[in-house]
Amino acid sequence: MEEMEEELKCPVCGSFYREPIILPCSHNLCQACARNILVQTPESESPQSRRASGSGVSDYDYLDLDKMSLYSEADSGYGSYGGFASAPTTPCQKSPNGVRVFPPAMPPPATHLSPALAPVPRNSCITCPQCHRSLILDDRGLRGFPKNRVLEGVIDRYQQSKAAALKCQLCEKAPKEATVMCEQCDVFYCDPCRLRCHPPRGPLAKHRLVPPAQGRVSRRLSPRKVSTCTDHELENHSMYCVQCKMPVCYQCLEEGKHSSHEVKALGAMWKLHKSQLSQALNGLSDRAKEAKEFLVQLRNMVQQIQENSVEFEACLVAQCDALIDALNRRKAQLLARVNKEHEHKLKVVRDQISHCTVKLRQTTGLMEYCLEVIKENDPSGFLQISDALIRRVHLTEDQWGKGTLTPRMTTDFDLSLDNSPLLQSIHQLDFVQMKVQRRNCDAIHFQTTKASSPVPATPILQLEECCTHNNSATLSWKQPPLSTVPAEGYILELDDGSGGQFREVYVGKETMCTVDGLHFNSTYNARVKAFNKTGVSQYSKTLVLQTSEVDIKKLLAVAWFAFDPGSAHSDIIFSNDNLTVTCSSYDDRVVLGKTGFSKGVHYWEITVDRYDNHPDPAFGVARMDVMKDVMLGKDDKAWAMYVDNNRSWFMHNNSHTNRTEGGIAKGATIGVLLDLNRKTLTFFINDEQQGPIAFENMEGLFFPAVSLNRNVQVTLHTGLPVPDFYSSRASIA
């Protein structure tokens, strides 16, 4: 029953109702609280003065949006009331229950009469603190409101069911324990409130004060007051007015406003309304039962979420640990190859050292012997051996000249680890589909649920929509026309372009995917399968895709591409179909091309459309994960040439080399030549090579790149042939 307690408390004082009255809006108030929130209206705005003047429309700003007259609902006594023009509106306060309370404009006069009997100021208005509707009281004042005897009885039973000590009813903040009860006032007092509000003098001296427990019993044993008519106080309610929906007395039917209304017996309507309320409670009880079951479901969901979180976290850790183990195994294999190369190089060099040491010892011995022979003074003896010594010296000299003094092994390791695709895959590692993650973590789950519903049908690759462009491939697929089992997603797989193992390149709900960064002049095999919560379908037929071919004569793969807004810094500004870029910042920002290169010879040019205040833009190539907020070449993911109006430098990993005279201006053309067959990167300015070959040993996947600030605007030109002099040089080589 504690959940019912808020229904039994007054919205003004926050305590249990005492002598509650029913407002026409069906809300309840204590009689004393109702008197405390009365507001007196101006005399000129009273109903009597309005009837006398004939005015029918009010000029007040009402709370309701319809702005009806305050007295337009004379039968019910209601109107929308917001304030008076003749006096400032009193700010509203909040009761302990959190509703707005409109305090009185002036304190009520001190009186020892009960709230119902005390005189009410003329033209008083009361505003319901819960719905904020207002009404003007008639001459009867608060006596015009019916008393809620049922609510009083419920409160009595509720208080009797609680074993807590009785509290003082007049304490303003924390009620203290009551020490006495006045039988005449029907109020429980603590000692301070009794001395302040119920002094033992004057008329109050005749009141009988009893202990709280005795007062509770006497209150419970006192006969329930019979509800009387508000219009005829000496008459009890005997009938029920169907039209007004309220109990009425016999006199109301004879001479009151209910004389022409339909009425029914009070007992019959009491039973009928009790039955209606019981039926309504049955429906509400069903909703409450459903709410309880729903709360149980939500609490079970909390537990299940926690358990699933632990399970999923363990699955994720297991997957990541498996990736780390695979990487460690591959690391061990690569280290073994490095160690093998290391041992081979050391063996070759050590063998050459041993061979040279022996030969040098022999040469030194021959030289020392010849010097001693020269010291001899016997001509005939010298001539007998001189020819042979001369031949030996020349033979030994020739032996040193046949590549003996050239190292048989270089100190550089001809091994270059291409980790950019793996790093890119790690950066793209994400939660794409929860059920796919569970499929990868625990395939047994699908075997146990397979019997519940079938797996989706095998998807069909749409050959007319599959194509390649440069080193990108676009694939499209669909479900069979007669398939009735829906698919929750698809898994697209490609091999490595060399007939190797398939790998997942896309997992999701879309039926079209474009894969970038493939090798030029390579043949790829593609296949797709569908999945749902039950399992995965069979693979589709394998589709063979051929990327752009290479010009065998020039070892050149011609590619058309633009700048990539998706990977660029947010300060980069694009135009001209993403072929022209500039920047909104004074700091250098990086933008990459859409196409990456890993094979062949590629050449593109960049023209300078605007060049103000002599900045130093940078041009070159970079990995996908290059830093985008610094000049190109500041980290180890970019290889670039940066140039101002007078000279240029090559830069990689913040190392500046090969300063070369000759700069750029508006209208200049910068050429970038990436020769992955020779593993070199070369730059040109206005069709002239700028400095030597900028970088060598270029291996892996590279994207065209530019860094610039707001003082520069450039335009990209692609699909260009290699300069003629470089082509002729390549053919000669």
Side-chain angles (χ1 to χ4, degrees), residues 306-327:
Q306 293 175 345
E307 294 176 357
N308 290 345
S309 174
V310 173
E311 177 186 355
F312 188 76
E313 182 177 348
C315 174
L316 176 62
V317 171
Q319 288 179 304
C320 292
D321 289 344
L323 292 176
I324 295 173
D325 291 341
L327 185 60

Side-chain angles (χ1 to χ4, degrees), residues 185-205:
C185 298
D186 195 21
V187 175
F188 291 93
Y189 297 95
C190 63
D191 288 336
C193 292
R194 178 179 58 80
L195 296 176
R196 184 178 68 254
C197 304
H198 201 286
R201 58 182 179 273
L204 299 178

Side-chain angles (χ1 to χ4, degrees), residues 34-258:
R35 182 177 181 83
N36 288 338
I37 63 174
L38 289 177
V39 179
Q40 190 172 1
T41 64
E43 182 68 25
S44 60
E45 299 300 335
S46 66
Q48 293 83 359
S49 61
R50 291 176 61 84
R51 295 191 191 99
S53 62
S55 174
V57 180
S58 173
D59 296 330
Y60 300 146
D61 291 331
Y62 301 127
L63 294 175
D64 291 342
L65 297 178
D66 56 4
K67 294 190 176 182
M68 296 175 61
S69 170
L70 185 64
Y71 308 105
S72 61
E73 304 177 17
D75 290 341
S76 62
Y78 270 86
S80 299
Y81 174 77
F84 300 105
S86 60
T89 303
T90 305
C92 67
Q93 301 172 346
K94 280 194 174 182
S95 74
N97 283 359
V99 299
R100 296 197 302 171
V101 178
F102 295 87
M106 59 185 66
T111 177
H112 296 298
L113 298 177
S114 67
L117 299 177
V120 174
R122 186 178 181 184
N123 301 330
S124 294
C125 171
I126 187 171
T127 300
C128 176
Q130 291 182 286
C131 64
H132 309 301
R133 296 189 66 184
S134 304
L135 70 139
I136 302 296
L137 273 64
D138 56 17
D139 295 337
R140 294 175 298 170
L142 297 178
R143 291 182 290 105
F145 298 117
K147 296 178 174 56
N148 196 336
R149 304 297 182 187
V150 174
L151 180 57
E152 281 186 312
V154 173
I155 292 175
D156 287 343
R157 290 196 301 272
Y158 178 77
Q159 289 181 331
Q160 293 169 15
S161 66
K162 298 188 67 175
L166 294 173
K167 301 293 183 180
C168 176
Q169 294 178 291
L170 297 182
C171 289
E172 295 181 356
K173 294 184 179 180
K176 298 180 181 179
E177 185 175 347
T179 57
V180 295
M181 173 194 172
C182 177
E183 289 187 336
Q184 285 71 30
C185 298
D186 195 21
V187 175
F188 291 93
Y189 297 95
C190 63
D191 288 336
C193 292
R194 178 179 58 80
L195 296 176
R196 184 178 68 254
C197 304
H198 201 286
R201 58 182 179 273
L204 299 178
K206 299 180 180 180
H207 288 193
R208 183 168 178 258
L209 301 178
V210 297
Q214 181 181 346
R216 175 194 286 180
V217 174
S218 61
R219 173 186 284 184
R220 184 168 66 249
L221 296 178
S222 60
R224 181 66 54 84
K225 299 177 181 178
V226 180
S227 177
T228 58
C229 180
T230 56
D231 295 328
H232 311 93
E233 297 182 0
L234 299 180
E235 298 288 341
N236 296 333
H237 290 143
S238 59
M239 301 295 289
Y240 180 83
C241 178
V242 178
Q243 182 174 344
C244 298
K245 296 183 178 180
M246 61 181 297
V248 295
C249 67
Y250 177 78
Q251 195 170 350
C252 289
L253 300 178
E254 292 293 331
E255 57 188 29
K257 61 182 179 180
H258 303 281

Side-chain angles (χ1 to χ4, degrees), residues 419-420 423-424 427 590 592 620-628 630-640 651-654 698 701-703 705:
N419 62 347
S420 56
L423 288 176
Q424 184 175 356
H427 291 316
V590 173
L592 302 180
V621 296
R623 307 290 191 193
M624 176 61 74
D625 55 346
V626 65
M627 296 173 61
K628 306 296 195 310
V630 296
M631 178 185 287
L632 194 67
K634 286 285 187 180
D635 61 359
D636 61 349
K637 302 296 190 302
W639 295 257
M651 183 166 62
H652 169 66
N653 201 16
N654 205 25
M698 304 289 291
L701 182 64
F702 300 95
F703 291 84

